[in-house]
């Protein structure tokens, strides 16, 4: 949500597809995108492993939030021109060229999807740093008793 607000991405009345129905990311994101505020006021469809015609659902979306945990799931042919794509997925995939033996990979085929998007988040370096900043901000506000008085 911070990313949408920071870049002034209009969500009001937009069609949003959330890929994933987890209690940690998918469901909360769907609720936040539907709330009566900005960012929010979007029409939300939640897709998961049993969604029929998932590619078609994605092609109609103005905003796609990918949180499936399946590397490179979202392909270029599933995204319409000018869409906003937020990749929340982070999966370790084997990579012999890395010292650690793995690399982080998102749910979006970034190289092929990015040219179609008006905005897109990379993995790593997209949602992760914003999550850390939000946690620190909320911890500070809670410590100062500015959240719950």
């Amino acid at each position: 949500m911070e990313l949408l607000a920071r870049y002034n991405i209009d969500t009001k009345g937009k069609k949003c597809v959330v890929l994933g129905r987890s209690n940690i990311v998918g469901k909360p994101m769907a609720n936040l995108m539907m709330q009566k505020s900005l960012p929010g006021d979007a029409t939300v469809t939640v897709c998961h492993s049993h969604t029929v015609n998932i590619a078609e659902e994605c092609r109609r979306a103005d905003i796609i939030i990918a949180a499936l945990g399946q590397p490179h799931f979202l392909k270029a042919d599933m995204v319409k021109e000018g869409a906003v794509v937020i990749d929340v997925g982070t999966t370790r995939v084997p990579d012999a060229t890395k010292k650690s033996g793995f690399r982080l990979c998102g749910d979006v085929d970034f190289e092929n999807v990015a040219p179609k998007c008006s905005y897109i988040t990379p993995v790593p370096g997209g949602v992760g740093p914003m999550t850390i900043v939000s946690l620190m901000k909320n911890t500070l506000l809670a410590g100062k008793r500015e959240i719950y008085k």
Side-chain angles (χ1 to χ4, degrees):
M1 296 303 283
E2 287 289 327
L3 286 169
L4 294 170
R6 176 157 176 85
Y7 290 97
N8 296 317
I9 296 171
D10 184 23
T11 57
K12 188 175 185 178
K14 303 292 184 189
K15 178 163 176 46
C16 175
V17 166
V18 177
L19 296 172
R21 57 182 167 181
S22 73
N23 291 329
I24 301 296
V25 179
K27 290 175 186 173
M29 279 307 305
N31 283 328
L32 287 168
M33 291 302 292
M34 287 187 290
Q35 70 185 353
K36 288 185 179 183
S37 68
L38 292 176
D41 277 335
T43 300
V44 179
T45 302
V46 178
C47 296
H48 49 80
S49 58
H50 297 287
T51 299
V52 178
N53 297 325
I54 197 166
E56 190 176 310
E57 291 289 344
C58 290
R59 276 191 291 274
R60 290 195 298 253
D62 302 302
I63 302 166
I64 300 173
I65 300 168
L68 288 166
Q70 294 184 23
H72 294 236
F73 177 85
L74 188 70
K75 306 290 186 195
D77 65 345
M78 298 170 72
V79 179
K80 75 177 184 180
E81 289 290 331
V84 173
V85 176
I86 300 173
D87 191 349
V88 184
T90 304
T91 304
R92 289 182 179 190
V93 293
D95 187 342
T97 66
K98 302 288 184 185
K99 184 178 177 182
S100 63
F102 68 88
R103 65 183 166 83
L104 293 178
C105 184
D107 292 348
V108 177
D109 180 9
F110 187 87
E111 281 186 23
N112 296 310
V113 173
K116 297 181 84 173
C117 299
S118 57
Y119 294 93
I120 186 168
T121 61
V123 173
V127 172
M130 290 301 296
T131 302
I132 293 166
V133 167
S134 294
L135 273 170
M136 302 246 333
K137 178 182 170 186
N138 290 339
T139 302
L140 177 64
L141 291 172
K144 293 168 68 177
R145 298 188 188 276
E146 292 183 14
I147 294 178
Y148 301 109
K149 295 182 181 185

